[in-house]
Amino acid sequence: FNTPQGWIMDLGSMHGIHPQSTIKVVSPDHQKEFQAHIAQIFPGHCSLSFDPGEEQQLDKAGDYQGYQENYLSAPLGIFLDPSLEAQELVIDGIKEQENLNLLPERHQADFCLEIKEQNILITRPASLGIPVVPLQPYSPESDMTVIFNFLRHISQFEFVKSLHNPNSFLFPSDPLEITVYRSGLDGKQEKLAIHNSTVTFDFFGLKDPHSNDKIQIKIRNRYDRRLYLALLYLTFNFGVNIKLLSEVVQGLDSGKETWAFNGEAIGLNLEPEITSYNYPQSTSYLKVLACTEDFKDQITRFELPDLPGPLTDYRGVKGLDVKTYNPGGIQDWTTRLITLNIPNPGYIK
């Protein structure tokens, strides 16, 4: 409880809080549960209200825990392959999982569950029989915990990927200028085109999954006030790296610029499954978040390790060679997502 502001919870619009969010508040001894309503939303926190009868039971000196349903996760549509045995058990298991929804048609789904040689696979609808994570042994009596954990992780990844502020009002246009350069062995920079928020790195050799060329990423604040920004890398294997800048969240004055990894060139690598499964390209993402106030405590919640790939549990260098490294009181935030495509030079149509 905050005397001037009332009941405050340290989740805000950056965490998916919206006016209709369902918030459960649990007493310090975990014996009582209360239903809270959203009173006001800020980027990193929100204020809560309670029905009068419940508020009288709350101790203003108490330290309560607040929970949001489907916290930091996006809904996933799941299609079950007809060959999957004991479908009723799997269906019941999916219904128990938050944010997993069964869909009747493959093309409607985000991911599919398939059976292949007594293994269960998580696949993409357009890639029949190609797993996105390691295969798991399956029988009608199988424990689906690992599969559901994988799907829960992917749901959290999709939340970060799709995160945006539909109610942004201070930024009629993108307040940040993002530039991606190709950096050759000779040290020369070549500015790469960003078409429809997509950069394509088409300078790989036919048989070499590693390019001798590297890239550099620059961000400039073209807004008329200081902004705080974070640069995230979302990997092909559903990981979220949060520290590409010198700090997790870096303050940047108007007109100033900053570089990922302090300007150090970043290597490019194709994941082994791209060539082995004949994917046309490797797709990953840069996510830029900008806010008028510091949000370091919020951004650290988005970090996710890579899931193991279907060919190996190796979690080393893949994709980008990155490592964990207002007037008055008016505040606002915005995001931008840039797709990074590395074409498979050996792709067979």
Side-chain angles (χ1 to χ4, degrees), residues 254-276:
S254 177
K256 299 297 184 180
E257 63 185 37
T258 188
W259 293 77
F261 294 102
N262 292 319
E264 180 182 341
I266 305 168
L268 300 172
N269 301 277
L270 275 179
E271 296 82 1
E273 49 264 57
I274 300 301
T275 52
S276 296

Side-chain angles (χ1 to χ4, degrees), residues 92-112:
D92 290 343
I94 288 177
K95 288 180 178 178
E96 294 175 359
Q97 307 300 313
E98 293 183 352
N99 274 8
L100 297 186
N101 305 305
L102 284 170
L103 296 176
E105 301 291 337
R106 178 183 295 273
H107 66 86
Q108 299 173 329
D110 299 299
F111 294 91
C112 307

Side-chain angles (χ1 to χ4, degrees), residues 197-249:
S197 295
T198 299
V199 180
T200 299
F201 308 120
D202 55 0
F203 37 81
F204 274 61
L206 182 60
K207 296 182 179 180
D208 187 0
H210 308 280
S211 172
N212 289 325
D213 293 272
K214 299 184 178 183
I215 65 167
Q216 294 170 290
I217 303 165
K218 182 178 73 173
I219 303 175
R220 185 176 70 87
N221 179 5
R222 57 187 179 191
Y223 194 55
D224 61 3
R225 61 185 283 191
R226 181 179 177 85
L227 293 177
Y228 295 87
L229 58 138
L231 179 62
L232 282 55
Y233 175 53
L234 285 65
T235 74
F236 179 84
N237 294 109
F238 308 105
V240 179
N241 295 286
I242 65 171
K243 192 179 178 185
L244 273 67
L245 301 177
S246 59
E247 302 176 66
V248 173
V249 173

Side-chain angles (χ1 to χ4, degrees), residues 45-58:
H45 69 281
C46 64
S47 59
L48 304 176
S49 64
F50 297 85
D51 293 336
E54 290 200 334
E55 187 161 15
Q56 292 177 1
Q57 304 178 50
L58 297 172

Side-chain angles (χ1 to χ4, degrees), residues 182-190 212-216 265:
R182 174 185 181 182
S183 179
L185 293 176
D186 57 5
K188 293 183 179 179
Q189 287 182 333
E190 174 190 348
N212 289 325
D213 293 272
K214 299 184 178 183
I215 65 167
Q216 294 170 290

